């Protein structure tokens, strides 16, 4: 039965959400090995992962991958797996030039099930658990019944026992290795981890004790980086003290009154096409209280592209960027 026909039957009468977890491994030849000429899978297959609470069995490396969100797209490209990607969607920003690859874009937003299934994928890799829903790319259980494996970036898992709290760089490195295992690209994954670890170890945090607000979005109430996710991870590695470190969430609302009370020395602005740096500065400067903070009056802003603001292969370079921007600030 063709995949789309099977999908139609399934979507008419089934569904059921489920979640995914981790079990990293390092073995594997170069990307793209796939089954051998006799049809046998590479060594190490099949295997089963617990990904954010959903069991996923891989009998062979994926050959037709669809990625949703920048973190998933960029990891596969960084591993040299562009030829295995048949579509991407819901990008948070442009792919860095070093990873550019000609891959069809399904949607600028969260894709629906039909255009995803039309590409006949055997693997859908999402940056957020919420990307897998009846209104989105499809529920994980439903896709599994169609023979489509699914995966969520482990750093984005939300269930107790799966949510990294706090997130550390070893979680990111473990996720890279796990993707290397899935695609039989263990060597490429180890090289990527080694390079990122060396880059991280070489970063020298700035020497001053400075506090920072991670301002992601919002005007009436700001949505900020809390104490257990990527914002906390990169700010801490850069030597900054997060004014919302006591909030046990990756991102969370925080009132302007609390922000004013905690009076951050610098403000990290997350830049995106829908929430530009200029727009956020306008919100800060228009607020009767926040506009009086020294960080706002003196323009002590650091900028992070949205696509680099979530945990992934750009987290280490984001730390370096913050350190470099701090060095350029004219502060007493």
């Amino acid at each position: 039965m063709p995949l789309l026909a099977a999908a139609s039957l399934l979507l008419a009468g089934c569904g059921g959400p489920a979640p995914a977890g981790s079990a990293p491994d390092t073995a594997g030849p170069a990307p793209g090995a796939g089954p051998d000429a006799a049809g046998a899978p590479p060594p190490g297959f099949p295997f089963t992962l617990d990904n954010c609470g959903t069991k996923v069995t891989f009998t062979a490396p994926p050959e037709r991958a669809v990625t949703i969100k920048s973190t998933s797209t960029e990891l596969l490209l960084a591993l040299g797996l562009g030829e295995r990607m048949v579509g991407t969607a819901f990008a948070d920003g442009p792919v860095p030039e070093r990873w550019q690859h000609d891959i069809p874009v399904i949607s600028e937003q969260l894709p629906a099930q039909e255009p995803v299934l039309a590409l006949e994928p055997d693997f859908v890799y999402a940056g957020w658990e919420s990307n897998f829903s009846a209104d989105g790319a499809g529920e994980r259980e439903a896709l599994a019944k169609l023979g489509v494996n699914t995966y969520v970036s482990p750093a984005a898992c939300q269930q107790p026992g799966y949510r990294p709290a706090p997130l550390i760089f070893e979680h990111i490195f473990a996720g890279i290795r796990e993707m290397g295992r899935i695609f039989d690209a263990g060597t490429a994954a180890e090289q990527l981890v080694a390079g990122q670890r060396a880059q991280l170890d070489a970063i020298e945090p700035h020497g001053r004790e400075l506090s920072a607000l991670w301002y992601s979005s919002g005007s009436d109430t700001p949505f900020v980086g809390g104490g257990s996710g990527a914002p906390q991870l990169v700010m801490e590695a850069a030597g900054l003290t997060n004014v919302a470190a006591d909030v046990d969430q990756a991102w969370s609302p925080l009132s302007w009154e609390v922000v004013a009370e905690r009076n951050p020395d610098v403000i990290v602005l997350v830049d995106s096409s829908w929430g530009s740096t200029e727009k956020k500065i306008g919100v800060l400067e228009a607020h009767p209280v926040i506009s009086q903070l020294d960080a706002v009056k003196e323009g002590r802003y650091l900028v992070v592209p949205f696509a680099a603001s979530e945990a992934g292969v750009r987290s280490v370079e984001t730390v370096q960027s913050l350190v470099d921007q701090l060095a350029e600030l004219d502060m007493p």
Side-chain angles (χ1 to χ4, degrees):
M1 178 181 294
L3 181 60
L4 283 176
S8 298
L9 290 175
L10 183 61
L11 294 175
C14 86
S22 73
D25 191 66
T26 60
D36 64 24
F45 289 82
F47 65 89
T48 299
L49 297 176
D50 181 358
N51 172 243
C52 296
T54 291
K55 295 291 191 347
V56 187
T57 297
F58 294 89
T59 58
E63 295 289 341
R64 299 183 60 81
V66 168
T67 57
I68 304 172
K69 300 295 287 182
S70 291
T71 50
S72 54
T73 299
E74 291 174 0
L75 176 50
L76 294 195
L77 292 175
L79 289 172
L81 296 168
E83 297 301 324
R84 305 284 195 92
M85 300 169 66
V86 296
T88 69
F90 210 0
D92 299 311
V95 173
E97 186 175 346
R98 65 188 181 278
W99 295 328
Q100 287 287 342
H101 202 92
D102 187 17
I103 303 166
V105 175
I106 307 170
S107 172
E108 300 294 338
Q109 303 298 322
L110 178 62
Q113 298 175 71
E114 288 191 9
V116 171
L117 292 174
L119 296 174
E120 299 186 345
D122 54 8
F123 182 63
V124 180
Y125 176 17
W128 293 344
E129 287 182 288
S130 59
N131 298 154
F132 291 117
S133 66
D135 294 331
E139 295 175 330
R140 299 189 72 176
E141 181 180 322
L143 291 170
K145 289 179 179 179
L146 292 172
V148 181
N149 276 337
T150 58
Y151 188 89
V152 174
S153 296
C157 296
Q158 294 299 308
Q159 290 192 44
Y162 295 94
R163 181 171 76 92
L167 179 71
I168 60 176
F169 274 102
E170 291 307 318
H171 291 131
I172 296 176
F173 297 156
I176 293 172
R177 291 192 179 100
E178 189 159 86
M179 195 53 56
R181 182 184 186 189
I182 289 170
F183 278 88
D184 194 31
T187 299
E190 284 302 320
Q191 291 173 346
L192 181 57
V193 169
Q196 295 219 335
R197 194 187 300 280
Q199 183 182 359
L200 182 63
D201 290 344
I203 295 174
E204 295 185 11
H206 75 95
R208 288 172 288 187
E209 294 184 4
L210 298 176
S211 62
L213 171 73
W214 184 284
Y215 179 21
S216 184
S217 63
S219 54
D220 293 339
T221 300
F223 200 58
V224 309
S228 64
Q232 172 67 24
L233 175 71
V234 299
M235 284 193 290
E236 184 175 27
L240 292 167
T241 299
N242 182 5
V243 297
D246 59 331
V247 179
D248 187 22
Q249 295 291 332
W251 292 270
S252 174
L254 189 73
S255 71
W256 286 123
E257 290 73 19
V258 172
V259 171
E261 179 182 301
R262 298 184 179 182
N263 191 18
D265 295 310
V266 299
I267 300 175
V268 180
L269 304 174
V270 179
D271 187 50
S272 66
S273 59
W274 60 92
S276 67
T277 299
E278 292 74 20
K279 179 179 179 180
K280 289 182 172 68
I281 291 175
V283 170
L284 296 171
E285 293 182 344
H287 194 280
V289 176
I290 299 301
S291 62
Q292 300 309 303
L293 298 182
D294 287 341
V296 176
K297 289 193 293 185
E298 298 179 13
R300 298 177 192 163
Y301 302 126
L302 312 178
V303 179
V304 172
F306 192 100
S309 71
E310 298 183 341
V313 290
R314 293 172 71 179
S315 293
V316 172
E317 70 177 53
T318 300
V319 176
Q320 184 66 67
S321 175
L322 291 180
V323 170
D324 293 343
Q325 291 180 70
L326 283 166
E328 294 175 1
L329 285 181
D330 183 16
M331 295 181 62

